[in-house]
Amino acid sequence: MNNKFVGTGVALVTPFNSDLSVDHKALANIVNYNIENGTDYLVICGTTGESVTLSKQEKKDVTATIIKANNGRLPLVLGIGGNNTVAVIQEIKTTDLSGIDALLSVSPYYSKPTQEGIYQHFKAIAEASPIDVILYNVPGRTSKNVEVDTTLRLANDFKNIVGVKEAGNNMSQYLQLIKNKPEGFLIISGDDDLVLGVTLAGGAGVISVIGQAFPKDFSEMIRLGLIGDAKAAYKLHFKLMDVIGYIFEENNPAGIKAVFEALKLCQDTVRLPVVPASKKLKKKIVDFVKGY
């Protein structure tokens, strides 16, 4: 098993200044805050990092800031995905992947390929990638589920496809994957609300959004889940349950950035078409953080 990606990974936000430029100082602080509080690995330029609104140069700069702040302490995963297979491969081939441990590649969105199309897309990526690949299934955003059989086929056919970030919010699909996966293949939850149940059932932990704001308790919850201590783990889950609901109430990453603003770690600025959390939601988040 690839133990680098067992436990708590976090999909880092990209903090912005008021003028919408990247706030590299805040980004470095968030990296250190996570490392010091028990996070196991970091995910760069995922959906939560607003990667679709970052220029090529900004992506490079964000990656460089995280690599520098991390300073070799935690494994790093870089998001490279899309719905143009040739363009994704081109990006993999032209990106400097030194210091990166794996790619996280989202299933093609908008195009709605068949399961065979999804298989061929990831086959091409696996063959082009010089490093490990983690598949990313998020049907709520792509409008197409990567079915269990497709994930298992990819897991069995390609040595460098080491896991899947499964975010279909479907417990039955998680259990099918855990039951039928090949030895060592990682089932990583992308659903903060379901992750504890998934981990207790044999999942490998999480790539989390909320985990980066409360890394101490969240990573401890996952650690307890991995050793099967459900009682202690659920105590922490219940402590965090309300805020997990809040951050996805309107839009990700507007919710998590509102949490970071309340924690004084970065501004809540986001780039269009995403807008900041509403006053009503912010109040709930601020009250939660105060009470926490």
Side-chain angles (χ1 to χ4, degrees):
M1 187 187 277
N2 200 324
N3 289 322
K4 274 184 185 174
F5 312 118
V6 173
T8 301
V10 295
L12 291 166
V13 297
T14 304
F16 298 126
N17 296 301
S18 311
D19 65 358
L20 294 181
S21 62
V22 176
D23 184 347
H24 288 278
K25 192 172 171 234
L27 181 57
N29 286 343
I30 289 168
V31 168
N32 283 312
Y33 172 70
N34 271 274
I35 296 171
E36 285 156 15
N37 286 290
T39 296
D40 297 300
Y41 62 99
L42 305 171
V43 180
I44 307 168
C45 291
T47 321
T48 304
E50 292 173 81
S51 55
V52 291
T53 65
L54 296 178
S55 71
K56 260 195 177 128
Q57 189 56 49
E58 284 174 329
K59 273 189 198 173
K60 251 189 200 161
D61 297 344
V62 162
T63 305
T65 294
I66 294 168
I67 288 174
K68 188 178 172 204
N70 181 50
N71 196 17
R73 290 179 286 176
L74 298 186
L76 299 177
V77 177
L78 178 65
I80 298 184
N83 59 352
N84 175 347
T85 311
V86 172
V88 174
I89 288 166
Q90 188 57 25
E91 192 177 339
I92 291 168
K93 286 183 171 167
T94 55
T95 301
D96 177 6
L97 296 173
S98 47
I100 303 294
D101 296 270
L103 298 178
L104 178 67
S105 199
V106 70
S107 178
Y109 41 82
Y110 193 79
S111 317
K112 287 177 142 179
T114 61
Q115 294 303 306
E116 184 60 30
I118 292 169
Y119 176 86
Q120 293 297 338
H121 172 82
F122 282 122
K123 172 180 191 254
I125 286 171
E127 287 171 347
S129 178
I131 58 176
D132 287 342
V133 176
I134 298 168
L135 311 173
Y136 182 15
N137 179 35
V138 57
R141 286 184 182 266
T142 63
S143 84
K144 192 79 180 187
N145 184 36
V146 181
E147 286 165 18
V148 171
D149 289 350
T150 306
T151 299
L152 296 175
R153 191 179 158 202
L154 287 160
N156 284 304
D157 289 357
F158 301 97
K159 282 275 176 288
N160 64 334
I161 295 182
V162 296
V164 60
K165 177 186 177 186
E166 179 63 37
N169 219 260
N170 177 342
M171 204 61 194
S172 152
Q173 180 150 312
Y174 275 116
L175 296 175
Q176 287 287 347
L177 285 165
I178 291 166
K179 174 176 174 279
N180 297 305
K181 72 183 183 68
E183 186 67 41
F185 186 75
L186 306 174
I187 310 301
I188 300 164
S189 175
D191 296 305
D192 283 344
D193 54 342
L194 298 182
V195 60
L196 183 52
V198 172
T199 305
L200 288 164
V206 68
I207 291 175
S208 173
V209 177
I210 197 63
Q212 64 194 306
F214 304 101
K216 203 167 237 160
D217 279 347
F218 199 89
S219 61
E220 181 60 16
M221 175 187 85
I222 299 298
R223 265 191 286 280
L224 291 164
L226 287 166
I227 59 168
D229 189 345
K231 206 171 178 183
Y234 269 110
K235 204 176 252 182
L236 291 168
H237 173 79
F238 292 136
K239 193 176 167 186
L240 289 162
M241 200 164 92
D242 290 348
V243 81
I244 291 170
Y246 298 158
I247 64 163
F248 296 109
E249 198 171 291
E250 291 178 358
N251 183 281
N252 181 41
I256 185 67
K257 281 190 167 178
V259 175
F260 271 139
E261 188 174 71
L263 290 167
K264 301 190 168 37
L265 277 162
C266 76
Q267 290 180 208
D268 72 337
T269 315
V270 285
R271 286 182 178 175
L272 286 169
V274 177
V275 293
S278 64
K279 277 203 176 83
K280 191 178 160 195
L281 179 57
K282 268 192 195 168
K283 186 183 180 325
K284 284 199 275 196
I285 286 171
V286 166
D287 291 347
F288 178 89
V289 170
K290 272 184 191 154
Y292 197 80

